[in-house]
Amino acid sequence: MKNILVLGAGRSASSLIRYLLDNSTAQGWEVTVADISIEMAEKKTSKHKNSRAIGFDIANESERQKEMNVADIIISLLPPHLHHIAALECIRLKKNLVTASYVSSEIKALDKASKEAGIILLNETGLDPGLDHMSAMHIIDRIKKGGGEITGFRSFCGGLVAPESNDNPWGYKFTWNPRNVVMAGQGTAQLIEDKQYKYIPYNRLFIQTELISIAGYGSFEAYANRDSLSYRKHYDLENIPTIIRGTLRMPGFCKAWNAFVQLGWTDDSYSINASNKLTYCQLLEAYLPKGNQAVRQKLADFLREKPDSEVMNKLEWLGIFEDNKIGLKDATPVQILQDLLERKWKLGEKDIDMIVMQHIFDFRQEGKNKRIISSLVVKGEDQVYTAMAKTVGLPLGIAAKLILNNKISSKGVRIPVMKEIYEPVLQELINYGISFKEEEKTGLF
Amino acid sequence: MKNILVLGAGRSASSLIRYLLDNSTAQGWEVTVADISIEMAEKKTSKHKNSRAIGFDIANESERQKEMNVADIIISLLPPHLHHIAALECIRLKKNLVTASYVSSEIKALDKASKEAGIILLNETGLDPGLDHMSAMHIIDRIKKGGGEITGFRSFCGGLVAPESNDNPWGYKFTWNPRNVVMAGQGTAQLIEDKQYKYIPYNRLFIQTELISIAGYGSFEAYANRDSLSYRKHYDLENIPTIIRGTLRMPGFCKAWNAFVQLGWTDDSYSINASNKLTYCQLLEAYLPKGNQAVRQKLADFLREKPDSEVMNKLEWLGIFEDNKIGLKDATPVQILQDLLERKWKLGEKDIDMIVMQHIFDFRQEGKNKRIISSLVVKGEDQVYTAMAKTVGLPLGIAAKLILNNKISSKGVRIPVMKEIYEPVLQELINYGISFKEEEKTGLF
């Protein structure tokens, strides 16, 4: 028997745990699911014969050492800032670790120590980051092997609601951490296009969008996603003239979201005194220039929108012009907005989520300009086995299986850009309905 | 003899040290000026008979304890983050401390300990914060004593160049920390106007300006200065319907500065790769949307300015449309902009700086609406004894004298809002040409 320790049994753990349990008898696994809430862990294991659910606090040293010591591999879905504790313990105990989180500077600093311990700290092995790396590298390596020179890489991903559950004017419902959605994009996005560096600050991130289309699913709106430049190194595309990563929303979302950016409602750095005594409309007034018009008109003027525009209708649908009281006391603008949106953008009981990903590779091969478009659409099964949970959890589970079965030779702090990982993971994902559709074109783009 | 220890001998220390030395014989003081650079300290003391210049590192414990132990009072002009070390030592050694810096949360937490030690940690005793507190409280207390009810308090301050030295289209030269000028205003300004809270995010801080005028000096442009709301508590004006603090610039400055805010050039969170290989014009291009026009025209379009507008002329004067190379390697946008401006906005050898401050108090007294306008203009003597150095240093020096002469009974972490401090400080400042002019009006405003 091999022991797998899963840290964290939250929303995104469902598909991972199901995968591990479904494979447990054939593979000879005992799966321990550890969460700060034992009830949460028990709910996810459903008393499966190869499972064990435990209450667990990573900060408790003796508990941590006891459980990690009997594990053969650890899969961490803990909040990102806690991975460092798990990783240090993994080095001490010489246990492999898999996570779906970005490599933090703290984790990065453990590369040498983890190599010396003979282990792999495999990060960014969920959806985005994760499946994006694997599916991109799969094609990048293939193009290079075929003698192609890659001149452009554009990659987009979005966690959305499926068209059949899309029944609000924003075309959006929360399918993952709402706070991250509200805070998304702060800072300056960085990319390169036709050899020209582009820096897009937050105040115009949501207006400098582009449309991309996915056969059978129509158009999506993309805004630039943070630092695309660093991916040149990750993907070994150091001199590529164009590299852009973007986040996908339904068309029209970004321009309306920009209203909150321009208002200042995505600031989390200060509290609104006695916010529970205000209505949303009064809060709006506090963010708008002086004037005698009604708040709705004042906002339209401020945004240079007509009063019945798409943007204004989306805002109106949120109820911000009505006299509803804000539910939170002394809250930051982000907290107030998130609280409102969590009610308005709630995934209904019968709603289905959807993951959309598309890579566009431009390359020159045998004197011809070519383009490969690789697209993925995954829909959720229900509110538990969402597309998000599947696309985050299955890559983690498959990667853990590969490591347990000694199929991975890489050591140290890694992300899944190596063939020995992406090839078998992508292959197995096909069995779960996660497969990219490819289209190749020749000509001028 | 009493020993005064001055920590930090930088630009703003000149007038303070001159004040202390000028008074040293009459008061029986020995003044020790301590700086990380002994040359800097020596330059400021000019071998005055009552002075001692030393090289000094606040982080060196034995040095710190030795020097602070023989001092009767410590005046710190160190960078703000170092005040905490000095304050802790002051508590241990039971020495009074005076600084010109804002009360940090770390310093605030020392209130109880400093009271128990029987000392005062007097902060915010320079210009702004400092003279603003003192001159405002002087009038607030007087209005209240006369039975007036204060309904509005608006307060403005600017460190500018004197009209006779104002020879560039921005009407601005650096007279204090350039980095703070470039970074000024980030976050969301908070104020209250006619009982209506107002929140002004950074992306429109420099367009929601107002004009104020000072007799004999014309108009100045004010943008809101951070959190004005907290001053209600500091000044005991808890239920005041209007409170606004602002920073003054010459008219037209703010709209042009907003170009850098909108471009994203006031971001300090990431570096531009190989920025030394770029011209300013190329950097501009990287921040502008795609298009075939020349960069100057593209920027004008982006800013919705005519090509020959005041804003465009100010930007042109900075040379950003020319093919000059950026001097810094892998620098952040803030570093690149600061480096450019330090050359363009350099205070010339014969230039004179100017401090402008104005408070506007609205109040109701004996059934009448009244307004007091209190204004201060201070010009520098030269490049060493600047208006900035005088207005920062003299309040510090006078406050230290009052403490040494046992005129101050307050203990703990304080700011100079008490009559026992502001009255004698304001009185003595008149001897140095620092005096407010008051104007009182009756009627409706």
Side-chain angles (χ1 to χ4, degrees), chain B residues 4-107:
Chain B
I4 300 176
L5 175 62
V6 176
L7 303 179
R11 193 153 56 164
S12 57
S14 60
S15 296
L16 166 66
I17 293 167
R18 182 170 70 174
Y19 173 84
L20 296 175
L21 293 175
D22 285 354
N23 283 273
S24 58
T25 303
Q27 294 281 336
W29 292 339
E30 174 160 306
V31 179
T32 300
V33 174
D35 196 279
I36 194 92
S37 143
I38 190 166
E39 291 76 22
M40 191 80 107
E42 280 168 347
K43 205 172 157 192
K44 291 290 192 307
T45 54
S46 312
K47 300 190 178 165
H48 188 287
K49 66 181 169 71
N50 299 326
S51 79
R52 192 167 65 100
I54 60 169
F56 180 85
D57 178 3
I58 187 82
N60 181 323
E61 189 178 345
S62 62
E63 215 168 62
R64 179 175 76 228
Q65 291 182 352
K66 184 180 140 219
E67 290 301 335
M68 288 179 66
N69 196 37
V70 297
D72 293 287
I73 192 166
I74 289 100
I75 307 175
S76 173
L77 285 167
L78 294 171
H81 69 278
L82 296 176
H83 287 143
H84 188 234
I85 307 175
L88 283 173
E89 201 67 73
C90 280
I91 290 171
R92 216 179 59 79
L93 298 170
K94 300 191 197 306
K95 308 288 181 178
N96 295 304
L97 174 71
V98 189
T99 86
S101 300
Y102 282 104
V103 176
S104 64
S105 50
E106 278 179 318
I107 294 286

Side-chain angles (χ1 to χ4, degrees), chain A residues 157-412:
Chain A
C157 183
L160 301 165
V161 69
E164 56 269 40
S165 303
N166 178 2
D167 52 15
N168 80 43
W170 290 78
Y172 191 78
K173 297 182 185 184
F174 285 125
T175 62
W176 65 298
N177 189 332
R179 181 178 161 84
N180 289 6
V181 175
V182 176
M183 303 277 283
Q186 303 204 1
T188 297
Q190 303 173 52
L191 52 94
I192 187 166
E193 197 170 10
D194 298 332
K195 296 186 187 166
Q196 169 70 59
Y197 284 93
K198 285 286 172 199
Y199 300 95
I200 311 176
Y202 185 55
N203 67 0
R204 52 199 158 89
L205 182 65
F206 293 98
I207 45 180
Q208 274 182 239
T209 56
E210 65 173 307
L211 282 180
I212 72 138
S213 69
I214 295 187
Y217 291 88
S219 292
F220 299 87
E221 198 169 74
Y223 67 88
N225 187 357
R226 304 180 186 210
D227 180 12
S228 298
L229 302 176
S230 63
Y231 284 74
R232 294 179 296 187
K233 197 172 169 209
H234 294 322
Y235 295 175
D236 196 13
L237 296 170
E238 297 278 5
N239 295 311
I240 193 167
T242 296
I243 189 164
I244 300 169
R245 296 179 78 254
T247 298
L248 295 177
R249 293 287 178 261
M250 293 306 290
F253 177 97
C254 292
K255 196 177 179 200
W257 183 256
N258 185 50
F260 293 125
V261 175
Q262 296 307 317
L263 272 173
W265 279 22
T266 56
D267 191 328
D268 199 42
S269 68
Y270 63 96
S271 301
I272 306 287
N273 189 33
S275 49
N276 55 324
K277 292 183 182 162
L278 296 175
T279 65
Y280 292 98
C281 199
Q282 285 168 332
L283 187 68
L284 260 184
E285 183 92 51
Y287 281 84
L288 289 168
K290 273 194 276 192
N292 294 321
Q293 311 100 302
V295 168
R296 195 184 191 290
Q297 182 62 48
K298 212 190 268 187
L299 180 61
D301 292 349
F302 170 70
L303 297 173
R304 303 183 196 221
E305 290 287 332
K306 291 192 176 148
D308 59 349
S309 72
E310 283 294 315
V311 167
M312 291 305 293
N313 290 342
K314 285 188 179 62
L315 296 171
E316 176 132 50
W317 180 85
L318 291 174
I320 59 173
F321 305 125
E322 293 160 32
D323 282 334
N324 303 316
K325 281 259 162 68
I326 291 167
L328 306 172
K329 196 181 166 190
D330 299 340
T332 69
V334 161
Q335 288 165 344
I336 292 171
L337 183 55
Q338 182 183 332
D339 174 66
L340 170 70
L341 295 176
E342 286 198 65
R343 275 174 282 125
K344 295 288 180 176
W345 289 352
K346 190 179 164 59
L347 206 61
E349 269 181 40
K350 297 193 170 169
D351 282 342
I352 295 298
D353 74 326
M354 179 173 77
I355 296 296
V356 178
M357 190 180 286
Q358 186 176 74
H359 307 298
I360 304 170
F361 305 88
D362 288 322
F363 57 106
R364 230 183 128 66
Q365 198 176 36
E366 296 163 352
K368 291 197 187 92
N369 291 317
K370 295 187 176 181
R371 170 172 284 182
I372 290 176
I373 301 174
S374 172
S375 308
L376 171 75
V377 178
V378 181
K379 288 192 189 176
E381 295 168 27
D382 53 36
Q383 278 240 325
V384 176
Y385 299 101
T386 60
M388 186 63 81
K390 284 202 279 189
T391 51
V392 171
L394 292 172
L396 282 173
I398 298 167
K401 183 174 80 173
L402 293 167
I403 294 171
L404 280 174
N405 293 342
N406 299 312
K407 306 281 183 170
I408 309 294
S409 62
S410 306
K411 304 291 174 198

Side-chain angles (χ1 to χ4, degrees), chain B residues 156 160-161 163 166 170-171 210-222 247-253 354 356 358:
Chain B
F156 305 96
L160 301 165
V161 69
N166 178 1
W170 290 78
E210 65 173 307
L211 282 179
I212 73 139
S213 70
I214 295 186
Y217 291 88
S219 293
F220 299 88
E221 198 168 73
T247 299
L248 296 176
R249 294 286 177 261
M250 293 307 287
F253 177 96
M354 179 173 78
V356 178
Q358 185 175 75

Side-chain angles (χ1 to χ4, degrees), chain B residues 17 23 26 91 129 141 164 178 189 208 241 306 308 357 364 373 395 426:
Chain B
I17 293 167
N23 283 273
I91 290 171
D141 283 346
E164 55 269 38
Q208 275 182 237
K306 290 190 176 149
D308 59 348
M357 189 180 287
R364 226 178 134 67
I373 301 173
L426 291 173

Side-chain angles (χ1 to χ4, degrees), chain A residues 127-146:
Chain A
L127 166 64
D128 175 2
L131 194 47
D132 54 349
H133 295 320
M134 295 187 259
S135 53
M137 286 309 297
H138 170 64
I139 296 178
I140 290 169
D141 283 346
R142 199 178 73 208
I143 293 172
K144 285 186 177 174
K145 204 173 165 190

Side-chain angles (χ1 to χ4, degrees), chain A residues 196 198, chain B residues 263 281 284-305 307 312 321:
Chain A
Q196 169 70 59
K198 285 286 172 199
Chain B
L263 271 174
C281 199
L284 260 184
E285 182 92 50
Y287 281 83
L288 289 168
K290 273 194 275 191
N292 293 321
Q293 310 99 306
V295 169
R296 196 185 190 287
Q297 182 62 48
K298 213 190 269 188
L299 180 61
D301 292 347
F302 170 71
L303 298 172
R304 302 182 197 225
E305 291 286 333
M312 292 304 294
F321 305 124

